[in-house]
Amino acid sequence: MTVVFVLNAASSSVKWRLVDGETGTTIRGGVVERLGHAGADGREHGAVISTLLAGLEHERIAVIGHRVVHGGDRFAAAALITDEVEHQIDELATLAPLHNPVNLTGIRAARAAFPDIPNVAVFDTAFHRTLPAASASYALPADLVQRHQIRRYGFHGISYHHVSARTAELLGRPLSELRLIIFHLGNGASACAMAGGRSVETSMGMTPLEGLVMGTRAGDLDPGVLLALGRAGVAWDRLEALLTRESGLRALAGTEDMRDIHAAAAAGDARAAAALDVYHHRLRHYLGAYLAQLGGADAIVFTGGVGENAAATRAAVVSGMAGLGILIDPARNVARADGARAISDPSSPVAVLIVPTDEELEIARQSLAAVSV
């Protein structure tokens, strides 16, 4: 048996799994959630990862795969981690300050604990290297763009790779024929428009700050807001903390945990209900834009912790869209079930699906491929 240890250190959680690389089956795994709320120094993540690695010292691990959020324009595929690769991931941390540092926490701990086992970085940005120039480009002077490598990179690519393939299986059609709009909704959230298995538009940009309203990130924001705050004397470090850790649902509802927000809204909390209105409004905005970009869609797919579990959010996003060929079945939507499934009305021209993501399995597959090259 070829065992792959997958470590997915996210902004507010640590997921791990031991995977049988030959069959793709899970040997064992787990997740620790709600990390980082007390600060952003990575100590909570580091303590969790150290304890986890200590419990794996007797496992016969062949390769360790790590999710890395930002690969910039330096990494177009999974990469065997060397000191130089680790250094480059560190340099890119300014573009993903909530993610690359905790990704590096896992990488450094694993390399130290298992120095003879190859480690592989699997990048979220790599999937979106197919974005056309019209989507990837910002309207800025060319010399600045080239000097600072300014472009839209996109994120959650590991998830989109897995979910799109599973969607094609569920629909019984080749991925190359499909137009898909996928919403990856978790503490971080993004949307992706795909044509023929290729990313052609996505909501996140140069960093994971752009796009949808997220747990602690505002998403789309007029740059003039930052100019005004800067002129008012707000320092760069303070702006970074504001944008990455203090905005989004946390700013609107007082918490970034969607489970708590939905519960509060259902109990009549006006602040929570208003936060959901803003969150859902932005989702519908992107859905409409992507329907226009693709000229329609074969399926709308929800994935991620919120996408897979928040029936009220799914209903709010697609409600009132019968004229666009999108009809949700209310009973299917609220039914509790495991696995990929349709929640659209059988008569709906556009399928509406829940497809659980499996980033750990995708990381395992790409990690094995990287060391076998």
Side-chain angles (χ1 to χ4, degrees):
M1 180 189 299
T2 302
V3 178
V4 184
F5 171 53
V6 175
L7 185 58
N8 182 349
S11 59
S12 62
S13 66
V14 172
K15 300 176 184 178
W16 66 277
R17 189 182 302 178
L18 291 173
V19 178
D20 181 341
E22 297 168 11
T23 64
T25 57
T26 297
I27 301 169
R28 59 191 177 97
V31 58
V32 180
E33 298 182 293
R34 304 194 188 203
L35 296 177
H37 292 186
D41 55 14
R43 282 183 292 181
E44 287 186 78
H45 287 78
V48 168
I49 291 168
S50 295
T51 300
L52 170 60
L53 293 173
L56 297 174
E57 59 183 347
H58 299 300
E59 296 285 348
R60 294 187 175 182
I61 297 170
V63 60
I64 302 173
H66 301 264
R67 177 197 180 207
V68 177
V69 166
H70 214 309
D73 60 0
R74 308 181 192 188
F75 299 100
L80 186 66
I81 298 173
T82 61
D83 291 344
E84 176 57 27
V85 168
E86 185 179 309
H87 175 68
Q88 292 188 54
I89 293 170
D90 195 12
E91 286 188 328
L92 292 164
T94 56
L95 298 178
L98 283 185
H99 299 89
N100 275 36
V102 294
N103 301 154
L104 279 169
T105 296
I107 288 170
R108 288 165 175 159
R111 293 185 77 196
F114 300 101
D116 298 324
I117 297 176
N119 284 250
V120 174
V122 181
F123 297 92
D124 262 327
T125 47
F127 182 78
H128 299 290
R129 294 297 289 268
T130 60
L131 287 174
S135 173
S137 301
Y138 289 111
L140 293 170
D143 60 329
L144 290 177
V145 169
Q146 184 173 6
R147 186 182 317 141
H148 300 288
Q149 300 178 354
I150 300 171
R151 55 160 288 164
R152 300 182 70 247
Y153 291 101
F155 301 90
H156 292 135
I158 299 167
S159 176
Y160 289 129
H161 192 286
H162 176 82
V163 170
S164 59
R166 286 288 293 120
T167 298
E169 292 175 3
L170 189 64
L171 296 176
R173 295 177 58 186
L175 183 58
S176 60
E177 296 180 358
L178 295 175
R179 297 168 300 171
L180 304 177
I181 299 172
I182 304 177
F183 290 102
H184 178 108
L185 307 180
N187 188 54
S190 69
C192 181
M194 295 178 59
R198 296 165 62 87
S199 173
V200 298
E201 185 62 272
T202 192
S203 59
M204 286 179 168
M206 180 175 175
T207 75
L209 288 172
E210 187 178 358
L212 305 176
V213 174
M214 296 170 246
T216 61
R217 286 165 269 172
D220 292 335
L221 186 71
D222 181 352
V225 173
L226 304 183
L227 294 176
L229 291 174
R231 292 191 183 105
V234 180
W236 284 114
D237 288 348
R238 180 73 190 95
L239 285 175
E240 181 178 70
L242 172 70
L243 292 175
T244 59
R245 304 183 184 101
E246 301 172 15
S247 299
L249 291 170
R250 176 181 283 189
L252 294 173
T255 176
E256 62 269 39
D257 194 292
M258 187 62 81
R259 293 164 293 191
D260 297 338
I261 296 171
H262 273 292
D269 186 294
R271 186 182 181 191
L276 288 176
D277 285 344
V278 175
Y279 182 81
H280 295 154
H281 180 86
R282 190 74 58 82
L283 288 165
R284 288 171 64 86
H285 171 84
Y286 272 92
L287 175 57
Y290 289 179
L291 286 168
Q293 290 284 4
L294 294 172
D298 297 294
I300 297 164
V301 186
F302 292 93
T303 193
V306 176
E308 294 167 28
N309 295 296
T313 286
R314 295 191 298 263
V317 173
V318 300
S319 66
M321 293 191 178
L324 298 174
I326 304 168
L327 293 163
I328 196 170
D329 183 313
R332 285 183 171 184
N333 184 42
V334 300
R336 305 294 296 180
D338 294 327
R341 59 200 183 276
I343 57 171
S344 46
D345 187 275
S347 66
S348 180
V350 179
V352 183
L353 310 173
I354 299 171
V355 178
T357 192
D358 196 336
E359 291 175 310
E360 289 71 44
L361 178 57
E362 186 62 36
I363 292 167
R365 288 170 172 166
Q366 293 193 33
S367 297
L368 276 176
V371 297
S372 63
V373 171

